[in-house]
mmCIF file with all atom_site columns, all heavy atoms in Angstrom:
data_model
loop_
_atom_site.group_PDB
_atom_site.id
_atom_site.type_symbol
_atom_site.label_atom_id
_atom_site.label_alt_id
_atom_site.label_comp_id
_atom_site.label_asym_id
_atom_site.label_entity_id
_atom_site.label_seq_id
_atom_site.pdbx_PDB_ins_code
_atom_site.Cartn_x
_atom_site.Cartn_y
_atom_site.Cartn_z
_atom_site.occupancy
_atom_site.B_iso_or_equiv
_atom_site.pdbx_formal_charge
_atom_site.auth_seq_id
_atom_site.auth_comp_id
_atom_site.auth_asym_id
_atom_site.auth_atom_id
_atom_site.pdbx_PDB_model_num
ATOM 1   N N   . LEU X 1 111 ? 48.300 68.511 73.356 1.00 0.00 ? 111 LEU X N   1
ATOM 2   C CA  . LEU X 1 111 ? 49.245 67.975 74.339 1.00 0.00 ? 111 LEU X CA  1
ATOM 3   C C   . LEU X 1 111 ? 48.512 67.499 75.586 1.00 0.00 ? 111 LEU X C   1
ATOM 4   O O   . LEU X 1 111 ? 48.805 66.423 76.114 1.00 0.00 ? 111 LEU X O   1
ATOM 5   C CB  . LEU X 1 111 ? 50.275 69.051 74.725 1.00 0.00 ? 111 LEU X CB  1
ATOM 6   C CG  . LEU X 1 111 ? 51.359 69.346 73.699 1.00 0.00 ? 111 LEU X CG  1
ATOM 7   C CD1 . LEU X 1 111 ? 52.079 70.647 74.052 1.00 0.00 ? 111 LEU X CD1 1
ATOM 8   C CD2 . LEU X 1 111 ? 52.341 68.191 73.613 1.00 0.00 ? 111 LEU X CD2 1
ATOM 9   N N   . ARG X 1 112 ? 47.556 68.313 76.054 1.00 0.00 ? 112 ARG X N   1
ATOM 10  C CA  . ARG X 1 112 ? 46.791 67.928 77.239 1.00 0.00 ? 112 ARG X CA  1
ATOM 11  C C   . ARG X 1 112 ? 46.037 66.632 76.986 1.00 0.00 ? 112 ARG X C   1
ATOM 12  O O   . ARG X 1 112 ? 46.016 65.727 77.827 1.00 0.00 ? 112 ARG X O   1
ATOM 13  C CB  . ARG X 1 112 ? 45.833 69.059 77.646 1.00 0.00 ? 112 ARG X CB  1
ATOM 14  C CG  . ARG X 1 112 ? 45.141 68.802 78.973 1.00 0.00 ? 112 ARG X CG  1
ATOM 15  C CD  . ARG X 1 112 ? 44.248 69.941 79.436 1.00 0.00 ? 112 ARG X CD  1
ATOM 16  N NE  . ARG X 1 112 ? 43.165 70.160 78.484 1.00 0.00 ? 112 ARG X NE  1
ATOM 17  C CZ  . ARG X 1 112 ? 42.980 71.291 77.794 1.00 0.00 ? 112 ARG X CZ  1
ATOM 18  N NH1 . ARG X 1 112 ? 43.793 72.310 77.945 1.00 0.00 ? 112 ARG X NH1 1
ATOM 19  N NH2 . ARG X 1 112 ? 41.969 71.410 76.958 1.00 0.00 ? 112 ARG X NH2 1
ATOM 20  N N   . SER X 1 113 ? 45.430 66.515 75.809 1.00 0.00 ? 113 SER X N   1
ATOM 21  C CA  . SER X 1 113 ? 44.700 65.283 75.456 1.00 0.00 ? 113 SER X CA  1
ATOM 22  C C   . SER X 1 113 ? 45.616 64.069 75.402 1.00 0.00 ? 113 SER X C   1
ATOM 23  O O   . SER X 1 113 ? 45.191 62.950 75.666 1.00 0.00 ? 113 SER X O   1
ATOM 24  C CB  . SER X 1 113 ? 43.997 65.447 74.103 1.00 0.00 ? 113 SER X CB  1
ATOM 25  O OG  . SER X 1 113 ? 42.982 66.410 74.203 1.00 0.00 ? 113 SER X OG  1
ATOM 26  N N   . ALA X 1 114 ? 46.884 64.304 75.079 1.00 0.00 ? 114 ALA X N   1
ATOM 27  C CA  . ALA X 1 114 ? 47.869 63.217 75.013 1.00 0.00 ? 114 ALA X CA  1
ATOM 28  C C   . ALA X 1 114 ? 48.474 62.924 76.382 1.00 0.00 ? 114 ALA X C   1
ATOM 29  O O   . ALA X 1 114 ? 49.385 62.101 76.495 1.00 0.00 ? 114 ALA X O   1
ATOM 30  C CB  . ALA X 1 114 ? 48.968 63.573 74.011 1.00 0.00 ? 114 ALA X CB  1
ATOM 31  N N   . GLY X 1 115 ? 47.985 63.610 77.419 1.00 0.00 ? 115 GLY X N   1
ATOM 32  C CA  . GLY X 1 115 ? 48.487 63.366 78.775 1.00 0.00 ? 115 GLY X CA  1
ATOM 33  C C   . GLY X 1 115 ? 49.742 64.145 79.117 1.00 0.00 ? 115 GLY X C   1
ATOM 34  O O   . GLY X 1 115 ? 50.342 63.915 80.160 1.00 0.00 ? 115 GLY X O   1
ATOM 35  N N   . ARG X 1 116 ? 50.117 65.081 78.273 1.00 0.00 ? 116 ARG X N   1
ATOM 36  C CA  . ARG X 1 116 ? 51.335 65.878 78.500 1.00 0.00 ? 116 ARG X CA  1
ATOM 37  C C   . ARG X 1 116 ? 50.941 67.216 79.130 1.00 0.00 ? 116 ARG X C   1
ATOM 38  O O   . ARG X 1 116 ? 51.081 68.283 78.563 1.00 0.00 ? 116 ARG X O   1
ATOM 39  C CB  . ARG X 1 116 ? 52.085 66.025 77.188 1.00 0.00 ? 116 ARG X CB  1
ATOM 40  C CG  . ARG X 1 116 ? 52.598 64.668 76.695 1.00 0.00 ? 116 ARG X CG  1
ATOM 41  C CD  . ARG X 1 116 ? 52.967 64.597 75.263 1.00 0.00 ? 116 ARG X CD  1
ATOM 42  N NE  . ARG X 1 116 ? 54.024 65.506 74.860 1.00 0.00 ? 116 ARG X NE  1
ATOM 43  C CZ  . ARG X 1 116 ? 54.458 65.627 73.609 1.00 0.00 ? 116 ARG X CZ  1
ATOM 44  N NH1 . ARG X 1 116 ? 53.957 64.864 72.654 1.00 0.00 ? 116 ARG X NH1 1
ATOM 45  N NH2 . ARG X 1 116 ? 55.400 66.487 73.313 1.00 0.00 ? 116 ARG X NH2 1
ATOM 46  N N   . HIS X 1 117 ? 50.418 67.113 80.342 1.00 0.00 ? 117 HIS X N   1
ATOM 47  C CA  . HIS X 1 117 ? 49.812 68.255 81.032 1.00 0.00 ? 117 HIS X CA  1
ATOM 48  C C   . HIS X 1 117 ? 50.792 69.378 81.342 1.00 0.00 ? 117 HIS X C   1
ATOM 49  O O   . HIS X 1 117 ? 50.428 70.558 81.207 1.00 0.00 ? 117 HIS X O   1
ATOM 50  C CB  . HIS X 1 117 ? 49.108 67.777 82.302 1.00 0.00 ? 117 HIS X CB  1
ATOM 51  C CG  . HIS X 1 117 ? 48.032 66.790 82.027 1.00 0.00 ? 117 HIS X CG  1
ATOM 52  N ND1 . HIS X 1 117 ? 46.808 67.132 81.515 1.00 0.00 ? 117 HIS X ND1 1
ATOM 53  C CD2 . HIS X 1 117 ? 48.008 65.432 82.161 1.00 0.00 ? 117 HIS X CD2 1
ATOM 54  C CE1 . HIS X 1 117 ? 46.071 66.059 81.353 1.00 0.00 ? 117 HIS X CE1 1
ATOM 55  N NE2 . HIS X 1 117 ? 46.772 65.000 81.739 1.00 0.00 ? 117 HIS X NE2 1
ATOM 56  N N   . ALA X 1 118 ? 51.986 69.044 81.752 1.00 0.00 ? 118 ALA X N   1
ATOM 57  C CA  . ALA X 1 118 ? 52.959 70.089 82.102 1.00 0.00 ? 118 ALA X CA  1
ATOM 58  C C   . ALA X 1 118 ? 53.321 70.937 80.877 1.00 0.00 ? 118 ALA X C   1
ATOM 59  O O   . ALA X 1 118 ? 53.404 72.163 80.974 1.00 0.00 ? 118 ALA X O   1
ATOM 60  C CB  . ALA X 1 118 ? 54.221 69.451 82.712 1.00 0.00 ? 118 ALA X CB  1
ATOM 61  N N   . GLN X 1 119 ? 53.508 70.289 79.742 1.00 0.00 ? 119 GLN X N   1
ATOM 62  C CA  . GLN X 1 119 ? 53.808 71.030 78.512 1.00 0.00 ? 119 GLN X CA  1
ATOM 63  C C   . GLN X 1 119 ? 52.625 71.899 78.106 1.00 0.00 ? 119 GLN X C   1
ATOM 64  O O   . GLN X 1 119 ? 52.809 73.047 77.695 1.00 0.00 ? 119 GLN X O   1
ATOM 65  C CB  . GLN X 1 119 ? 54.169 70.080 77.381 1.00 0.00 ? 119 GLN X CB  1
ATOM 66  C CG  . GLN X 1 119 ? 55.534 69.452 77.509 1.00 0.00 ? 119 GLN X CG  1
ATOM 67  C CD  . GLN X 1 119 ? 55.756 68.458 76.382 1.00 0.00 ? 119 GLN X CD  1
ATOM 68  O OE1 . GLN X 1 119 ? 55.152 67.382 76.373 1.00 0.00 ? 119 GLN X OE1 1
ATOM 69  N NE2 . GLN X 1 119 ? 56.589 68.834 75.437 1.00 0.00 ? 119 GLN X NE2 1
ATOM 70  N N   . ALA X 1 120 ? 51.421 71.348 78.208 1.00 0.00 ? 120 ALA X N   1
ATOM 71  C CA  . ALA X 1 120 ? 50.221 72.107 77.848 1.00 0.00 ? 120 ALA X CA  1
ATOM 72  C C   . ALA X 1 120 ? 50.088 73.343 78.737 1.00 0.00 ? 120 ALA X C   1
ATOM 73  O O   . ALA X 1 120 ? 49.809 74.442 78.250 1.00 0.00 ? 120 ALA X O   1
ATOM 74  C CB  . ALA X 1 120 ? 48.979 71.225 77.971 1.00 0.00 ? 120 ALA X CB  1
ATOM 75  N N   . LEU X 1 121 ? 50.301 73.167 80.019 1.00 0.00 ? 121 LEU X N   1
ATOM 76  C CA  . LEU X 1 121 ? 50.208 74.280 80.963 1.00 0.00 ? 121 LEU X CA  1
ATOM 77  C C   . LEU X 1 121 ? 51.231 75.364 80.634 1.00 0.00 ? 121 LEU X C   1
ATOM 78  O O   . LEU X 1 121 ? 50.907 76.555 80.617 1.00 0.00 ? 121 LEU X O   1
ATOM 79  C CB  . LEU X 1 121 ? 50.390 73.774 82.392 1.00 0.00 ? 121 LEU X CB  1
ATOM 80  C CG  . LEU X 1 121 ? 50.379 74.837 83.485 1.00 0.00 ? 121 LEU X CG  1
ATOM 81  C CD1 . LEU X 1 121 ? 49.064 75.616 83.485 1.00 0.00 ? 121 LEU X CD1 1
ATOM 82  C CD2 . LEU X 1 121 ? 50.620 74.182 84.843 1.00 0.00 ? 121 LEU X CD2 1
ATOM 83  N N   . ALA X 1 122 ? 52.457 74.961 80.351 1.00 0.00 ? 122 ALA X N   1
ATOM 84  C CA  . ALA X 1 122 ? 53.496 75.938 80.024 1.00 0.00 ? 122 ALA X CA  1
ATOM 85  C C   . ALA X 1 122 ? 53.125 76.744 78.769 1.00 0.00 ? 122 ALA X C   1
ATOM 86  O O   . ALA X 1 122 ? 53.314 77.961 78.722 1.00 0.00 ? 122 ALA X O   1
ATOM 87  C CB  . ALA X 1 122 ? 54.837 75.233 79.814 1.00 0.00 ? 122 ALA X CB  1
ATOM 88  N N   . ILE X 1 123 ? 52.571 76.071 77.781 1.00 0.00 ? 123 ILE X N   1
ATOM 89  C CA  . ILE X 1 123 ? 52.179 76.760 76.550 1.00 0.00 ? 123 ILE X CA  1
ATOM 90  C C   . ILE X 1 123 ? 51.011 77.701 76.816 1.00 0.00 ? 123 ILE X C   1
ATOM 91  O O   . ILE X 1 123 ? 51.006 78.851 76.349 1.00 0.00 ? 123 ILE X O   1
ATOM 92  C CB  . ILE X 1 123 ? 51.861 75.749 75.436 1.00 0.00 ? 123 ILE X CB  1
ATOM 93  C CG1 . ILE X 1 123 ? 53.154 75.066 74.985 1.00 0.00 ? 123 ILE X CG1 1
ATOM 94  C CG2 . ILE X 1 123 ? 51.167 76.434 74.249 1.00 0.00 ? 123 ILE X CG2 1
ATOM 95  C CD1 . ILE X 1 123 ? 52.946 73.897 74.047 1.00 0.00 ? 123 ILE X CD1 1
ATOM 96  N N   . HIS X 1 124 ? 50.019 77.254 77.571 1.00 0.00 ? 124 HIS X N   1
ATOM 97  C CA  . HIS X 1 124 ? 48.888 78.132 77.881 1.00 0.00 ? 124 HIS X CA  1
ATOM 98  C C   . HIS X 1 124 ? 49.348 79.351 78.680 1.00 0.00 ? 124 HIS X C   1
ATOM 99  O O   . HIS X 1 124 ? 48.851 80.465 78.453 1.00 0.00 ? 124 HIS X O   1
ATOM 100 C CB  . HIS X 1 124 ? 47.790 77.372 78.630 1.00 0.00 ? 124 HIS X CB  1
ATOM 101 C CG  . HIS X 1 124 ? 46.864 76.662 77.695 1.00 0.00 ? 124 HIS X CG  1
ATOM 102 N ND1 . HIS X 1 124 ? 46.541 75.341 77.856 1.00 0.00 ? 124 HIS X ND1 1
ATOM 103 C CD2 . HIS X 1 124 ? 46.186 77.074 76.605 1.00 0.00 ? 124 HIS X CD2 1
ATOM 104 C CE1 . HIS X 1 124 ? 45.701 74.975 76.901 1.00 0.00 ? 124 HIS X CE1 1
ATOM 105 N NE2 . HIS X 1 124 ? 45.484 76.011 76.121 1.00 0.00 ? 124 HIS X NE2 1
ATOM 106 N N   . ARG X 1 125 ? 50.274 79.166 79.588 1.00 0.00 ? 125 ARG X N   1
ATOM 107 C CA  . ARG X 1 125 ? 50.820 80.313 80.339 1.00 0.00 ? 125 ARG X CA  1
ATOM 108 C C   . ARG X 1 125 ? 51.509 81.302 79.395 1.00 0.00 ? 125 ARG X C   1
ATOM 109 O O   . ARG X 1 125 ? 51.348 82.518 79.513 1.00 0.00 ? 125 ARG X O   1
ATOM 110 C CB  . ARG X 1 125 ? 51.799 79.848 81.405 1.00 0.00 ? 125 ARG X CB  1
ATOM 111 C CG  . ARG X 1 125 ? 51.140 79.327 82.627 1.00 0.00 ? 125 ARG X CG  1
ATOM 112 C CD  . ARG X 1 125 ? 52.155 79.011 83.725 1.00 0.00 ? 125 ARG X CD  1
ATOM 113 N NE  . ARG X 1 125 ? 51.457 78.693 84.954 1.00 0.00 ? 125 ARG X NE  1
ATOM 114 C CZ  . ARG X 1 125 ? 51.813 77.752 85.797 1.00 0.00 ? 125 ARG X CZ  1
ATOM 115 N NH1 . ARG X 1 125 ? 52.902 77.033 85.572 1.00 0.00 ? 125 ARG X NH1 1
ATOM 116 N NH2 . ARG X 1 125 ? 51.118 77.523 86.882 1.00 0.00 ? 125 ARG X NH2 1
ATOM 117 N N   . ASP X 1 126 ? 52.289 80.768 78.459 1.00 0.00 ? 126 ASP X N   1
ATOM 118 C CA  . ASP X 1 126 ? 52.995 81.608 77.499 1.00 0.00 ? 126 ASP X CA  1
ATOM 119 C C   . ASP X 1 126 ? 52.013 82.389 76.622 1.00 0.00 ? 126 ASP X C   1
ATOM 120 O O   . ASP X 1 126 ? 52.168 83.594 76.419 1.00 0.00 ? 126 ASP X O   1
ATOM 121 C CB  . ASP X 1 126 ? 53.927 80.755 76.641 1.00 0.00 ? 126 ASP X CB  1
ATOM 122 C CG  . ASP X 1 126 ? 54.592 81.566 75.550 1.00 0.00 ? 126 ASP X CG  1
ATOM 123 O OD1 . ASP X 1 126 ? 55.336 82.518 75.891 1.00 0.00 ? 126 ASP X OD1 1
ATOM 124 O OD2 . ASP X 1 126 ? 54.365 81.266 74.365 1.00 0.00 ? 126 ASP X OD2 1
ATOM 125 N N   . VAL X 1 127 ? 50.998 81.710 76.112 1.00 0.00 ? 127 VAL X N   1
ATOM 126 C CA  . VAL X 1 127 ? 50.012 82.374 75.258 1.00 0.00 ? 127 VAL X CA  1
ATOM 127 C C   . VAL X 1 127 ? 49.277 83.446 76.059 1.00 0.00 ? 127 VAL X C   1
ATOM 128 O O   . VAL X 1 127 ? 49.089 84.572 75.575 1.00 0.00 ? 127 VAL X O   1
ATOM 129 C CB  . VAL X 1 127 ? 49.015 81.365 74.638 1.00 0.00 ? 127 VAL X CB  1
ATOM 130 C CG1 . VAL X 1 127 ? 47.871 82.071 73.961 1.00 0.00 ? 127 VAL X CG1 1
ATOM 131 C CG2 . VAL X 1 127 ? 49.734 80.457 73.648 1.00 0.00 ? 127 VAL X CG2 1
ATOM 132 N N   . HIS X 1 128 ? 48.867 83.133 77.260 1.00 0.00 ? 128 HIS X N   1
ATOM 133 C CA  . HIS X 1 128 ? 48.165 84.108 78.099 1.00 0.00 ? 128 HIS X CA  1
ATOM 134 C C   . HIS X 1 128 ? 49.042 85.342 78.330 1.00 0.00 ? 128 HIS X C   1
ATOM 135 O O   . HIS X 1 128 ? 48.561 86.479 78.233 1.00 0.00 ? 128 HIS X O   1
ATOM 136 C CB  . HIS X 1 128 ? 47.746 83.470 79.425 1.00 0.00 ? 128 HIS X CB  1
ATOM 137 C CG  . HIS X 1 128 ? 46.885 84.359 80.252 1.00 0.00 ? 128 HIS X CG  1
ATOM 138 N ND1 . HIS X 1 128 ? 47.270 84.810 81.487 1.00 0.00 ? 128 HIS X ND1 1
ATOM 139 C CD2 . HIS X 1 128 ? 45.655 84.905 80.013 1.00 0.00 ? 128 HIS X CD2 1
ATOM 140 C CE1 . HIS X 1 128 ? 46.319 85.582 81.979 1.00 0.00 ? 128 HIS X CE1 1
ATOM 141 N NE2 . HIS X 1 128 ? 45.329 85.646 81.111 1.00 0.00 ? 128 HIS X NE2 1
ATOM 142 N N   . ALA X 1 129 ? 50.321 85.124 78.595 1.00 0.00 ? 129 ALA X N   1
ATOM 143 C CA  . ALA X 1 129 ? 51.238 86.251 78.802 1.00 0.00 ? 129 ALA X CA  1
ATOM 144 C C   . ALA X 1 129 ? 51.360 87.104 77.533 1.00 0.00 ? 129 ALA X C   1
ATOM 145 O O   . ALA X 1 129 ? 51.379 88.340 77.605 1.00 0.00 ? 129 ALA X O   1
ATOM 146 C CB  . ALA X 1 129 ? 52.616 85.738 79.234 1.00 0.00 ? 129 ALA X CB  1
ATOM 147 N N   . ARG X 1 130 ? 51.436 86.450 76.367 1.00 0.00 ? 130 ARG X N   1
ATOM 148 C CA  . ARG X 1 130 ? 51.522 87.203 75.103 1.00 0.00 ? 130 ARG X CA  1
ATOM 149 C C   . ARG X 1 130 ? 50.254 88.024 74.858 1.00 0.00 ? 130 ARG X C   1
ATOM 150 O O   . ARG X 1 130 ? 50.321 89.153 74.390 1.00 0.00 ? 130 ARG X O   1
ATOM 151 C CB  . ARG X 1 130 ? 51.768 86.260 73.929 1.00 0.00 ? 130 ARG X CB  1
ATOM 152 C CG  . ARG X 1 130 ? 53.214 85.781 73.863 1.00 0.00 ? 130 ARG X CG  1
ATOM 153 C CD  . ARG X 1 130 ? 53.483 85.072 72.561 1.00 0.00 ? 130 ARG X CD  1
ATOM 154 N NE  . ARG X 1 130 ? 53.274 83.633 72.737 1.00 0.00 ? 130 ARG X NE  1
ATOM 155 C CZ  . ARG X 1 130 ? 53.124 82.775 71.745 1.00 0.00 ? 130 ARG X CZ  1
ATOM 156 N NH1 . ARG X 1 130 ? 53.107 83.187 70.501 1.00 0.00 ? 130 ARG X NH1 1
ATOM 157 N NH2 . ARG X 1 130 ? 52.974 81.496 71.997 1.00 0.00 ? 130 ARG X NH2 1
ATOM 158 N N   . VAL X 1 131 ? 49.102 87.441 75.190 1.00 0.00 ? 131 VAL X N   1
ATOM 159 C CA  . VAL X 1 131 ? 47.841 88.162 75.014 1.00 0.00 ? 131 VAL X CA  1
ATOM 160 C C   . VAL X 1 131 ? 47.784 89.356 75.964 1.00 0.00 ? 131 VAL X C   1
ATOM 161 O O   . VAL X 1 131 ? 47.401 90.463 75.563 1.00 0.00 ? 131 VAL X O   1
ATOM 162 C CB  . VAL X 1 131 ? 46.635 87.223 75.228 1.00 0.00 ? 131 VAL X CB  1
ATOM 163 C CG1 . VAL X 1 131 ? 45.337 87.999 75.344 1.00 0.00 ? 131 VAL X CG1 1
ATOM 164 C CG2 . VAL X 1 131 ? 46.548 86.210 74.100 1.00 0.00 ? 131 VAL X CG2 1
#
Side-chain angles (χ1 to χ4, degrees):
L111 285 166
R112 187 176 62 242
S113 294
R116 295 162 60 183
H117 300 284
Q119 286 177 288
L121 177 59
I123 290 171
H124 275 130
R125 281 186 172 141
D126 175 61
V127 170
H128 187 243
R130 284 191 267 164
V131 168

